[in-house]
Amino acid sequence: MTTKWFKNIGPGPLVAAAFIGPGTVTVCTLAGVNFGYNLLWAMVLSIVATIVLQEMAARIGIVSQKGLSEVIRQELKHPIARTIVVVLILSAIVVGNAAYEAGNISGGALGLETIFDSSRVSFLGKDLKVMPLIIGFSAFLLLYYGNYKVLEKSLVALVIVMSLAFLITAVVTKPSIVEILSGLIPSTPANSILTIVGLIGTTVVPYNLFLHASLAKNKWKQKEDLKLAKKDTFLAVVLGGLVSMCIIISASAMVNQDISNAADLAKSLEPLFGVYAKYVLAVGLFAAGITSAITAPLAAAYVASGCLGWESNLKSLRFRMVWMFILFLGVLFSVIGFKSIEIITFAQIANGLLLPIIAGFLLWVVNKVSVMGKYTNSLFQNVLGVIILLIAIGLGLKVILSVFKVI
């Protein structure tokens, strides 16, 4: 049975790898440091929302045998509406992933630098970081090789390493089971709203919906495989959510300390729990960074190909050009330490608009018999979907308003 599950393992772990990036690790770390176990319930809510939306995306991919951006181009008949949505998708996913890729690579580099010394080389009179180059080159090799099975197995292995690293760290801190259970009861401690929004927003990620639909259609060709896809999605997202919860639990051991990211947490754990705690957490941070550094360019390439009508083949030239562009920018910005606030702000606004639109689109398409046949949503799935759509609208508004510093 176990062997059969491993044989049928699909894109689920890649989706988990994509949403547990350095950003998620940082938000979870701050949630634990500032609020202890009190916001674990928000992560549970995030897991449920992610499972529902990702299952819909995978189902659309398998039944239609098209990527999500292809389905959008096909189903939005009005040319103006289609153009607006396609431009928004390209802006949010391609530009957004280019903006965030430096963070993915820098986060993975932080993990390496916690274990090894921070190495720099001098080039044209500037000190450049070495670790981002190592991560960028590793990501390039895996993507350029262009074999889905190799990519899948590599990312699954990294997800397992990451999961074990954060699980071991959480166990080492000897958490209180009673306090963990009490943290699963919804509560909103003072000044916690922004962190709650951050926990949900960093887990329910628009680009993962596009990535999942494309990978699912490549993995499974028969509608009978929908059960495998559903199980794959459920297990992978739950595992990813547990990893995030382990980070919150680990950080809870350092309540009210001056910690701003996982690298700080790794160093702070050393005096209390030994040098191995630092190394284990650093390995987890490295794995989180490199997996997201691979999946972000991959998702951008699938989205661009679908929106522009290109072949979405891992070895096609246009497909490669997109992910190479994203990866190159990420490595360049990470190595020189460049941060373009304007680009990141634009990406945040685009993503804030995109999440409710895509959540609404998913609900619309999975109820269309002309697309889904007998595999449309059940009443229960629609009720869950509407609730999550309302949450997505709230999240989108919050992101946009916070960018403009309205709240």
Side-chain angles (χ1 to χ4, degrees):
M1 187 73 179
T2 307
T3 309
K4 186 180 178 183
W5 183 79
F6 274 110
K7 183 182 176 183
N8 289 314
I9 200 167
L14 277 70
V15 170
F19 78 71
I20 309 173
T24 303
V25 174
T26 300
V27 171
C28 291
T29 298
L30 295 175
V33 169
N34 296 325
F35 304 103
Y37 303 113
N38 289 317
L39 299 186
L40 286 172
W41 67 268
M43 188 48 63
V44 173
L45 176 63
S46 304
I47 295 167
V48 173
T50 303
I51 289 171
V52 172
L53 292 180
Q54 295 295 157
E55 188 278 330
M56 287 185 199
R59 191 163 16 124
I60 289 172
I62 295 169
V63 173
S64 70
Q65 281 299 295
K66 294 183 177 72
L68 193 52
S69 45
E70 293 174 76
V71 176
I72 288 172
R73 276 200 312 124
Q74 173 187 300
E75 294 302 315
L76 287 176
K77 308 296 184 187
H78 196 286
I80 296 175
R82 182 170 60 236
T83 302
I84 290 171
V85 172
V86 165
V87 169
L88 179 60
I89 291 168
L90 285 170
S91 301
I93 307 299
V94 179
V95 177
N97 284 11
Y100 301 142
E101 181 69 352
N104 294 329
I105 293 170
S106 298
L110 267 179
L112 286 180
E113 288 167 5
T114 306
I115 301 171
F116 308 103
D117 290 330
S118 178
S119 301
R120 292 173 181 266
V121 293
S122 183
F123 182 73
L124 296 178
K126 288 194 174 186
D127 278 345
L128 304 178
K129 298 176 180 178
V130 172
M131 297 305 181
L133 291 171
I134 295 172
I135 289 175
F137 185 66
S138 303
F140 179 88
L141 286 179
L142 278 171
L143 286 166
Y144 190 82
Y145 190 73
N147 186 303
Y148 174 73
K149 287 185 178 178
V150 171
L151 189 62
E152 185 181 74
K153 285 183 170 62
S154 302
L155 285 169
V156 167
L158 284 166
V159 168
I160 291 170
V161 168
M162 176 172 62
S163 305
L164 288 174
F166 289 125
L167 177 62
I168 291 167
T169 307
V171 170
V172 163
T173 60
K174 298 179 181 176
S176 163
I177 301 300
V178 174
E179 287 185 36
I180 288 174
L181 292 174
S182 68
L184 298 176
I185 301 168
S187 64
T188 52
N191 303 315
S192 65
I193 297 298
L194 283 178
T195 307
I196 292 169
V197 170
L199 287 171
I200 298 171
T202 196
T203 309
V204 186
V205 186
Y207 89 70
N208 263 350
L209 299 169
F210 292 91
L211 180 65
H212 204 171
S214 294
L215 293 177
K217 80 174 177 68
N218 290 342
K219 173 75 176 181
W220 292 299
K221 303 296 182 185
Q222 306 296 324
K223 295 179 178 66
E224 291 73 25
D225 293 328
L226 284 168
K227 286 184 179 178
L228 290 173
K230 187 177 288 190
K231 188 185 294 184
D232 176 66
T233 301
F234 178 82
L235 291 173
V237 174
V238 167
L239 175 63
L242 289 174
V243 168
S244 298
M245 292 173 80
C246 283
I247 299 166
I248 295 174
I249 291 166
S250 302
S252 297
M254 301 284 119
V255 170
N256 297 323
Q257 291 202 29
D258 187 19
I259 293 169
S260 60
N261 57 49
D264 291 343
L265 177 62
K267 290 167 187 171
S268 300
L269 286 172
E270 185 179 351
L272 288 176
F273 304 107
V275 69
Y276 292 112
K278 177 183 83 170
Y279 289 137
V280 170
L281 190 59
V283 166
L285 180 57
F286 161 71
I290 194 169
T291 51
S292 293
I294 294 167
T295 52
L298 185 64
Y302 275 123
V303 166
S305 299
C307 285
L308 300 172
W310 298 345
E311 184 185 5
S312 58
N313 185 307
L314 284 171
K315 292 187 176 180
S316 73
L317 179 60
R318 286 171 170 172
F319 190 91
R320 279 178 166 168
M321 291 295 285
V322 175
W323 68 251
M324 282 181 185
F325 173 71
I326 304 288
L327 186 59
F328 172 76
L329 281 184
V331 172
L332 179 65
F333 290 169
S334 183
V335 166
I336 65 176
F338 175 75
K339 290 180 182 177
S340 174
I341 300 301
E342 292 79 9
I343 295 174
I344 292 171
T345 300
F346 173 78
Q348 286 174 324
I349 294 170
N351 273 290
L353 287 169
L354 185 63
L355 180 57
I357 289 173
I358 296 306
F361 181 82
L362 280 174
L363 267 177
W364 176 55
V365 170
V366 291
N367 282 290
K368 287 194 75 169
V369 177
S370 60
V371 177
M372 302 301 293
K374 64 179 182 179
Y375 301 101
T376 54
N377 264 6
S378 65
L379 177 62
F380 179 66
Q381 285 172 317
N382 278 330
V383 169
L384 282 178
V386 169
I387 293 170
I388 292 163
L389 176 59
L390 294 174
I391 292 171
I393 292 169
L395 274 174
L397 286 172
K398 176 66 197 70
V399 169
I400 294 164
L401 293 174
S402 64
V403 165
F404 290 109
K405 309 210 182 305
V406 175
I407 55 173

